[in-house]
Amino acid sequence: MRGTTALPGTPCTTPKEGQPPVHRLEVRLPDDVPFAVGTFDGIGPMSRADFPHRHTFYEIVHVTHGTGTHVVDLARWELRPPHIGVILPGQVHHWENARDLDGSVVLFTPEFLLDHPGDEELLRRIGERPWLRLDPAAHTRTARLIAELTEEYGHGDSGFATVLRSLLHVLLVRTARLGGPGEAAAPTGRHAAVTDAFVRLVTRTGTDGGAGGVGLRSVRECAERLGVSPGYLTEAVRAALGRTPGSLLREARTHEAQRLLARTDLSVRQVAARTGFDDPAYFCRFFRRETGMTPGHFRKHHGEHHENPHDKHHDCSAPSIEDAPGDT
């Protein structure tokens, strides 16, 4: 768990220039479980942070009262409680104009999911629709489960970590059900294991200050990292998700580029480098093909920062568009 947890008061990892800060999960004791639950007040002021930042851990928020907006990556969610929301490691989020915010926060690292490894797949699926409004019955069930988590965590009796993992598993399963009963069951077997490892690899977005999985340039590189052939990786991902690994890799790189353009002051050249492109012009063609606009135009309409003066050298105005890395 090195790098994912820290004792209270430990300074946050210093991000690279232009990157949002990266926060680790503070634990009460050196050998304590990498988990915490409590109210917004109990967790502390960082639970209401109004500046963009990333985590190395998962965060579940159950909002019962308040007004304002919760911003996750490029999506803005107006508060109309009750809500349940999930922030995945590496995502950029913050609270905007939040007033009278109340509810509960559940924090845990990927390592905490030891007893239920399938929970990472559940979290990934929930993360595709990360902000849900709860009907009265779902709100009551969610509040009851989080109250049990809070009580178990507070007492710390023998075997409490196992109980916490079990209660968290129930919370995740029930939250995943909120998307409707028509969702396909999660795949199983070796194809599923390879697919899950691939998804985790390409969506690892540099919580250590680097490029993460999005820095990988091709499906072949991903396959080598996972110890399988490109052909087998393609077969596994298609069988499990109905998509090609190339499309998922392009999506992950595009999403990370959008995050950096909207939430940092990095130049287009720097964003290109962080997402695995040596040539900024090549990155511009890739980005325009995937999003329909240049990086500069995207930043102008979606970013929170002033235009970077270095961007004028990479305005992506050339009409040529060619295939980019990650297609095969």
Side-chain angles (χ1 to χ4, degrees):
M1 289 177 285
R2 183 175 301 170
T4 62
T5 58
L7 292 175
T10 303
C12 295
T13 304
T14 302
K16 291 186 176 181
E17 180 185 359
Q19 286 273 31
V22 179
H23 298 157
R24 294 175 292 169
L25 178 60
E26 292 187 348
V27 294
R28 295 175 296 188
L29 298 170
D31 296 325
D32 213 348
V33 294
F35 177 94
V37 60
T39 64
F40 281 93
D41 287 336
I43 292 295
M46 281 306 302
S47 66
R48 296 186 177 92
D50 60 359
F51 57 89
H53 62 283
R54 282 176 166 161
H55 303 153
T56 61
F57 52 88
Y58 293 98
E59 177 174 350
I60 298 175
V61 292
H62 179 217
V63 181
T64 59
H65 189 268
T67 61
T69 304
H70 188 214
V71 183
V72 183
D73 290 333
L74 305 175
R76 303 169 63 83
W77 309 92
E78 185 177 351
L79 297 185
R80 291 194 180 96
H83 295 288
I84 189 166
V86 175
I87 301 99
L88 305 180
Q91 288 189 304
V92 180
H93 88 112
H94 68 283
W95 300 91
E96 193 172 273
N97 300 320
R99 299 287 185 272
D100 303 319
L101 189 61
D102 200 5
S104 298
V105 183
V106 184
L107 311 172
F108 54 95
T109 67
E111 294 86 351
F112 184 70
L113 304 174
L114 178 67
D115 292 353
H116 301 280
D119 283 355
E120 286 203 72
E121 171 62 19
L122 276 176
L123 283 158
R124 188 185 69 79
R125 287 166 51 199
I126 296 168
E128 293 173 355
R129 45 186 206 291
W131 198 249
L132 299 169
R133 191 136 190 255
L134 301 175
D135 62 33
H139 173 50
T140 299
R141 288 194 299 269
T142 299
R144 185 166 54 239
L145 269 171
I146 292 179
E148 289 190 62
L149 282 164
T150 302
E151 181 181 7
E152 192 68 31
Y153 180 70
H155 288 167
D157 293 334
S158 176
F160 81 109
T162 300
V163 176
L164 289 174
R165 291 186 177 101
S166 297
L167 290 170
L168 177 63
H169 176 67
V170 174
L171 177 62
L172 295 178
V173 170
R174 289 183 175 173
T175 301
R177 289 176 182 169
L178 296 175
E183 290 191 6
T188 59
R190 186 165 184 249
H191 275 9
V194 170
T195 299
D196 184 57
F198 171 74
V199 170
R200 284 188 281 112
L201 176 65
V202 301
T203 55
R204 182 169 53 85
T205 52
T207 54
D208 58 356
V214 295
L216 296 170
R217 299 164 190 262
S218 68
V219 172
R220 181 175 297 278
E221 284 187 67
C222 294
E224 290 175 355
R225 183 75 64 88
L226 297 173
V228 298
S229 70
Y232 183 82
L233 179 60
T234 298
E235 177 187 346
V237 173
R238 276 180 171 160
L241 301 178
R243 298 181 60 184
T244 66
S247 69
L248 291 169
L249 181 55
R250 290 196 304 274
E251 182 179 280
R253 299 176 84 185
T254 301
H255 198 185
E256 178 66 0
Q258 289 174 320
R259 285 173 174 164
L260 295 174
L261 289 167
R263 302 288 182 246
T264 77
D265 291 318
L266 294 173
S267 68
V268 170
R269 177 183 290 277
Q270 290 171 315
V271 172
R274 299 286 172 86
T275 49
F277 293 88
D278 293 329
D279 182 358
Y282 195 22
F283 163 72
C284 289
R285 293 194 294 271
F286 167 84
F287 189 88
R288 187 169 58 186
R289 188 191 67 184
E290 295 298 315
T291 67
M293 63 182 73
T294 67
H297 187 258
F298 178 87
R299 169 169 273 167
K300 180 179 179 181
H301 289 275
H302 296 274
E304 296 179 343
H305 301 261
H306 297 294
E307 184 178 2
N308 191 307
H310 298 290
D311 287 352
K312 63 184 179 181
H313 301 297
H314 301 290
D315 195 28
C316 313
S317 56
S320 174
I321 300 176
E322 58 191 68
D323 287 342
D327 291 340
T328 58

